[in-house]
Amino acid sequence: MTDARLVVGPFNRVEGDLEVHLDVADSAVASARVNAPLYRGFERMLEGRDPRDALTITPRICGICSISQSAAAARALGAAQGLDPTPQGARVAALIHAVENTCDHLTHFYLFFMPDFARPVYGAHAWHGPVVERFTATQGSGARNAVTARAKLMHILGLLAGKWPHTLAVQPGGVTRRPSAAERARIRSDLRGFRRFLERDLFGAPVEDFAALASQDAALGWAQGDAGLFLRLAADLDLTALGQGGGRYLSFGAYPMADGHAFAPGLWQNGKLRPPDTEAILEDVSHAWMLGAATHPSRGQTEPDLDMRDTAYSWCKAPRMGGRPLECGALARQVIDGHPLAHDLAAQGGGVLARVAARLLEIARTQILMEELTQGIDPAASFMQRADLPRDGQGVGLVEAARGALGHWLRIEDGRIASYQIIAPTTWNFSPRDAAGTPGPLEAALVGAPVAAGEDTPIAVQHIVRSFDPCMVCTVH
């Protein structure tokens, strides 16, 4: 029996437009439908263009993860050309990408997720006062310090990428900028400054200590820094049990280099790891305002249903691998890369606590990675190689944005783009139901969320939605 139907949205502090339709029974969410109410059409814009235009156009899909789109486009073009980046080009491209992803995680924690806990509804909790001081939107001291640290870290993008967002520095054969020895020293200095912020504000201890945490209990015992404040309130509010996932995780592998990925690719399902079967991906459109059949993205099409039929409820397609919905993001990456803390977080249900703690873990691990990448830069090496574009060909670019698995599928005919299909991380996580009626990851995670009497925008629902860190403009590319 349904007690009420709620429409939650639009959401603030979310990139793009989002609505969540809820059926509520017995003071909890009984079912959910997630609506991405904006159509953008980038895939159609690319058709008929010079394939190299993808490097300029796809980063404009999003202003906060544009380097992820650049990296995927460069990989797709490189695959069509039979071209790999030089080892040093791949190293610098990975560093550029890692800076953006780290900044995204920092922004999510300080500006998107934590301000919700400064609300008066939590005023009776002992941790509320410190949260108000650190995380109140536009006023919190922690948020101010994080924005300053983020800006200083992005100096690295100025040196290596020329600008952010929408750089053209990342190319199929490497990167356009050869860093000098002096610039390598400057990058090291910027990373040392960012480490100081992490160890003073976010973790209150060496990043290596946080990266060494091996269990959820150990994480919940972490008392230092803003991370400790989050973990304290997470234990108090039992965020472990809120918004639990399906336990199926996907990663295309983060930061591909000559000797492999820094964070491994894989599919985690039923507690077992195996390679992702990208040929088993289908984009279901049964509940999307899109026309056509469920197809693999290499054969996909973007035909909007201008009549917006009643049986559909979102402009987002429903990607499935082997017929199953998959969650992606920092938790998925760290589970698949084999980190023991991530494994335990997933084993405890993979809820709100797990997703946010995994981002904190990834910040710590990526700081260490960025320092290693910088140390290995050889200014005397080659950073770029070139090849001609084929008249006909196809390529796939698979990377990891901050929010998860991002794929570009390109087909070239007669020297022009014949098809360009994109599956973004939030397309996976915020997908609608498929033809079998199986909900997407967020829709499933919302079931059971408590709804208090009189709530028209349930606070628990907001925590679950934000734990996935949606980027809706990428979803409806």
Side-chain angles (χ1 to χ4, degrees), residues 388-409:
D388 293 331
L389 281 167
R391 295 292 294 172
D392 300 281
Q394 57 186 357
V396 182
L398 304 176
V399 302
E400 283 289 309
R403 292 157 188 81
L406 171 63
H408 287 203
W409 283 261

Side-chain angles (χ1 to χ4, degrees), residues 11-325:
F11 282 75
N12 60 7
R13 305 195 309 277
V14 166
E15 182 80 357
D17 297 290
L18 169 64
E19 290 180 350
V20 179
H21 296 241
L22 304 173
D23 289 335
V24 179
D26 299 323
S27 301
V29 174
S31 67
R33 282 174 168 76
V34 177
N35 174 20
L38 173 70
Y39 170 70
R40 301 182 78 212
F42 272 80
E43 292 164 331
R44 296 293 298 270
M45 296 178 204
L46 287 157
E47 293 173 4
R49 292 182 176 270
D50 186 300
R52 291 166 294 191
D53 286 353
L55 295 170
T56 299
I57 294 173
T58 60
R60 267 75 182 174
I61 289 171
C62 180
I64 56 177
C65 52
S66 71
I67 287 172
S68 296
Q69 302 288 351
S70 293
R75 287 278 165 177
L77 282 166
Q81 294 173 281
L83 178 65
D84 289 322
T86 67
Q88 282 290 311
R91 173 179 289 271
V92 171
L95 177 57
I96 291 170
H97 197 179
V99 169
E100 180 183 78
N101 282 352
T102 300
C103 289
D104 274 6
H105 286 332
L106 200 70
T107 301
H108 172 261
F109 182 73
Y110 278 98
L111 303 184
F112 296 168
F113 182 75
M114 287 299 292
D116 282 335
F117 297 95
R119 295 183 178 191
V121 68
Y122 291 123
H125 295 265
W127 44 260
H128 186 253
V131 167
V132 168
E133 193 279 323
R134 294 294 289 171
F135 296 106
T136 298
T138 74
Q139 299 176 32
S141 60
R144 288 197 304 270
N145 293 347
V147 169
T148 299
R150 179 180 181 270
K152 291 180 178 178
L153 181 63
M154 282 193 167
H155 289 170
I156 295 171
L157 299 184
L159 285 172
L160 297 179
K163 65 172 184 174
W164 181 89
H166 314 326
T167 181
L168 285 171
V170 180
Q171 295 285 320
V175 294
T176 59
R177 186 78 162 77
R178 179 198 298 271
S180 67
E183 287 167 336
R184 182 180 60 188
R186 171 66 187 275
I187 293 167
R188 287 175 180 158
S189 176
D190 289 334
L191 287 171
R192 284 195 297 270
F194 190 66
R195 175 183 274 265
R196 284 194 294 272
F197 162 78
L198 295 179
E199 295 184 344
R200 182 193 67 224
D201 285 46
L202 182 56
F203 299 121
V207 294
E208 288 81 3
D209 291 355
F210 196 88
L213 293 173
S215 69
Q216 178 171 297
D217 286 344
L220 290 174
W222 185 272
Q224 302 98 298
D226 293 326
L229 184 54
F230 160 69
L231 291 162
R232 178 182 167 195
L233 71 84
D236 183 40
L237 298 176
D238 193 17
L239 297 187
T240 298
L242 186 65
Q244 294 195 344
R248 296 180 296 274
Y249 300 110
L250 170 67
S251 172
F252 289 147
Y255 316 123
M257 288 176 282
D259 55 353
H261 292 80
F263 296 145
L267 171 66
W268 180 269
Q269 190 167 259
N270 300 322
K272 296 181 180 178
L273 178 65
R274 59 177 181 268
D277 183 2
T278 57
E279 292 304 310
I281 296 174
L282 291 178
E283 289 191 280
D284 186 295
V285 295
S286 60
H287 291 80
W289 290 310
M290 294 286 174
L291 302 176
T295 56
H296 187 272
S298 65
R299 302 180 299 277
Q301 54 186 323
T302 303
E303 294 289 343
D305 177 8
L306 301 182
D307 293 327
M308 298 176 68
R309 65 191 184 280
D310 292 340
T311 54
Y313 58 89
S314 178
W315 288 106
C316 178
K317 297 179 183 179
R320 301 289 188 263
M321 183 180 288
R324 305 299 297 274

